[in-house]
Amino acid sequence: MYSLFFTITPFYLIYCLVAHLGYLGNSNFYFYPDQGYFYSVSNNLGELNSFKEIIEACFINRVHFESEGAHFLFGSIAFIANKYFDGNSVLLQSLYVSFFAILSNLFVFKLLKKFLLKSTAKRYTLTFALLTPILFFSPWLLRDVHITFLFSVAIYLTFRKINLKNSILFFAVFTITSQFRMEHSLIILLFFIIHLYYNRQYSSFVKKYWSVFIFFGVGIITIILFTQSKNLFKAVETLDRYELHTVSELNDSGLGSKLYDLPFGIKHLAIAVNSQLTPLPPWALINFHQNIFVILTATTLGVVTIYWSYIFLFLLYSFTTEGIIRKLPKSLFLFLILVVAFLLLNSTNVVVRRIMVIYPVIFLIYAFVKEYKLNEYKKSIIHRRSVISYIFLLVIYILFKVFL
């Protein structure tokens, strides 16, 4: 695992520097303006007199109302920088977020090792680290990389033996995630249920008392939903605002806006599928009138989008033409259901950075299917179909823009 860390880290550090140089060239947060808010909060918290005051502001007084975990971390980095170094900076905050992205990849490796040979898992982890959206989003001052890290830990814990230590870790991950984004923390509870099911086949104790575990699990979830109802209502209101904002931001003549006009149900499915191909086309954010560093970061988004679209199409063809779903282990099948539900529930806002938290699961299923459920002949056929389908979508997009 150390070799992976030292292999991946230079790429993330270089990309972080490129993104920062793009930021300096524009004198603003050109991709995600929310970064300005988080950086401003970090400066404010970093000027407090002690960690105790930061904790009180974030977790007792809750002066920011939500995302207190993110504010605490950003503020703590700023406090340390102000006290022991030359002060807070965008680059410092960006490097710290990138560190969480690197750690996420290490947990993806530990997860893949549960299903693949170590050498194969290492190869897939390098691919995941360098060719999937986690690389693109790694330097931005946002919550999403932190939540992706927490999800990667929770997903890894799902396939660990059930014991007091792992249960406490699950609860800790749930609690911390709730301080970043409440609606995401509820998914951690579902991971724990899959954790119980996974251990059912290995633990006679869990198998014997399966119904008791489920009863208490449902009870705990109900209590959490009841006690956090106010925050959940806020989350629903936020999702509604996201949908209104998303629709208003879409080009009225573009494909994205047309998807929101589809009937209920079909709309959500279409948007969920589209979310795995976004941005389409992959060069959508490249603007050659900007500085070279912004062009490089936008190109990075294009590259990771192409690869992730390939993974999605590969799985889609595997499931629809080869019946691979029936051949999945039950634990991965449950995860697949959870992935589909997660994408459908997030169809009000198709921003990739909010849904990439579930990408380690999708990638695990992709790697498992490709390595163990398809022979070389079938893999080559699905590979060609996936590539041709993506090219076809690009051609359709170009024709759509030219003639409509």
Side-chain angles (χ1 to χ4, degrees), residues 240-297:
D240 290 338
R241 291 199 306 271
Y242 281 156
E243 180 166 7
L244 292 173
H245 174 73
T246 301
V247 174
S248 66
E249 288 292 318
L250 290 169
N251 187 330
D252 290 337
S253 61
L255 175 61
S257 61
K258 303 299 181 184
L259 298 181
Y260 281 87
D261 293 332
L262 294 173
F264 183 87
I266 298 176
K267 175 184 78 172
H268 296 81
L269 181 61
I271 293 173
V273 171
N274 183 63
S275 72
Q276 299 304 288
L277 306 170
T278 300
L280 186 69
W283 59 81
L285 294 184
I286 299 177
N287 183 348
F288 291 103
H289 296 291
Q290 294 177 311
N291 70 66
I292 183 61
F293 301 108
V294 176
I295 294 173
L296 286 173
T297 51

Side-chain angles (χ1 to χ4, degrees), residues 15-160:
Y15 177 65
C16 184
L17 181 60
V18 168
H20 182 67
L21 291 172
Y23 158 77
L24 293 178
N26 280 266
S27 300
N28 60 45
F29 295 100
Y30 48 90
F31 273 119
Y32 302 104
D34 288 356
Q35 296 181 97
Y37 167 71
F38 282 111
Y39 184 61
S40 175
V41 169
S42 75
N43 280 328
N44 294 334
L45 291 173
E47 292 174 355
L48 297 178
N49 297 317
S50 65
F51 272 117
K52 180 181 179 182
E53 290 187 14
I54 297 177
I55 293 173
E56 288 177 350
C58 293
F59 301 117
I60 298 176
N61 299 326
R62 303 191 71 86
V63 297
H64 312 102
F65 301 106
E66 61 178 358
S67 309
E68 298 296 348
H71 297 313
F72 172 75
L73 288 179
F74 285 124
S76 297
I77 294 296
F79 177 81
I80 294 172
N82 289 335
K83 188 169 184 177
Y84 299 106
F85 301 102
D86 292 332
N88 191 32
S89 70
V90 173
L91 180 59
L92 178 64
Q93 295 286 355
S94 183
L95 287 169
Y96 129 78
V97 176
S98 291
F99 178 70
F100 277 94
I102 294 168
L103 291 181
S104 299
N105 290 311
L106 298 183
F107 275 95
V108 168
F109 171 64
K110 293 168 71 70
L111 172 66
L112 290 172
K113 276 201 309 179
K114 294 287 184 179
F115 291 85
L116 308 176
L117 296 174
K118 183 177 180 180
S119 58
T120 305
K122 185 176 181 179
R123 173 166 52 86
Y124 274 102
T125 302
L126 285 172
T127 304
F128 182 85
L130 302 178
L131 288 176
T132 60
I134 191 172
L135 171 64
F136 173 76
F137 291 103
S138 61
W140 311 125
L141 277 57
L142 301 164
R143 296 173 286 173
D144 305 285
V145 168
H146 305 90
I147 299 174
T148 300
F149 165 71
L150 292 166
F151 264 56
S152 66
V153 174
I155 296 165
Y156 166 68
L157 289 173
T158 301
F159 298 101
R160 297 271 293 175

Side-chain angles (χ1 to χ4, degrees), residues 5 36 73 99 199 204 221 225 256 303 313 320 355-356:
F5 176 82
L73 288 179
F99 178 70
N199 280 277
S204 58
I221 292 175
L225 291 176
V303 171
L313 292 170
T320 56
I355 60 176
M356 73 174 183

Side-chain angles (χ1 to χ4, degrees), residues 141-320:
L141 277 57
L142 301 164
R143 296 173 286 173
D144 305 285
V145 168
H146 305 90
I147 299 174
T148 300
F149 165 71
L150 292 166
F151 264 56
S152 66
V153 174
I155 296 165
Y156 166 68
L157 289 173
T158 301
F159 298 101
R160 297 271 293 175
K161 289 183 178 180
I162 186 168
N163 53 41
L164 180 60
K165 174 186 174 182
N166 289 329
S167 297
I168 293 174
L169 288 174
F170 251 116
F171 180 75
V173 172
F174 161 77
T175 303
I176 296 171
T177 305
S178 69
Q179 299 304 307
F180 284 84
R181 192 177 286 133
M182 171 56 68
E183 53 269 36
H184 277 82
S185 67
L186 298 178
I187 307 297
I188 304 296
L189 296 178
L190 298 179
F191 288 169
F192 186 72
I193 292 177
I194 297 176
H195 172 64
L196 292 175
Y197 185 86
Y198 174 76
N199 280 277
R200 185 185 181 191
Q201 55 188 318
Y202 301 110
S203 171
S204 58
F205 178 78
V206 175
K207 188 173 183 179
K208 182 176 180 180
Y209 295 102
W210 170 248
S211 58
V212 177
F213 278 116
I214 292 298
F215 175 79
F216 280 103
V218 172
I220 291 171
I221 292 175
T222 302
I223 292 172
I224 292 173
L225 291 176
F226 180 78
T227 56
Q228 297 295 326
S229 58
K230 183 182 295 186
N231 292 329
L232 291 174
F233 282 127
K234 289 182 179 178
V236 172
E237 291 174 359
T238 300
L239 290 175
D240 290 338
R241 291 199 306 271
Y242 281 156
E243 180 166 7
L244 292 173
H245 174 73
T246 301
V247 174
S248 66
E249 288 292 318
L250 290 169
N251 187 330
D252 290 337
S253 61
L255 175 61
S257 61
K258 303 299 181 184
L259 298 181
Y260 281 87
D261 293 332
L262 294 173
F264 183 87
I266 298 176
K267 175 184 78 172
H268 296 81
L269 181 61
I271 293 173
V273 171
N274 183 63
S275 72
Q276 299 304 288
L277 306 170
T278 300
L280 186 69
W283 59 81
L285 294 184
I286 299 177
N287 183 348
F288 291 103
H289 296 291
Q290 294 177 311
N291 70 66
I292 183 61
F293 301 108
V294 176
I295 294 173
L296 286 173
T297 51
T299 301
T300 301
L301 177 60
V303 171
V304 301
T305 296
I306 291 171
Y307 183 69
W308 192 259
S309 298
Y310 167 78
I311 289 176
F312 174 73
L313 292 170
F314 189 96
L315 282 176
L316 191 63
Y317 277 117
S318 299
F319 293 151
T320 56

Side-chain angles (χ1 to χ4, degrees), residues 354-367:
R354 289 195 177 92
I355 60 176
M356 73 174 183
V357 297
I358 207 74
Y359 282 10
V361 172
I362 299 176
F363 192 78
L364 168 63
I365 296 173
Y366 161 76

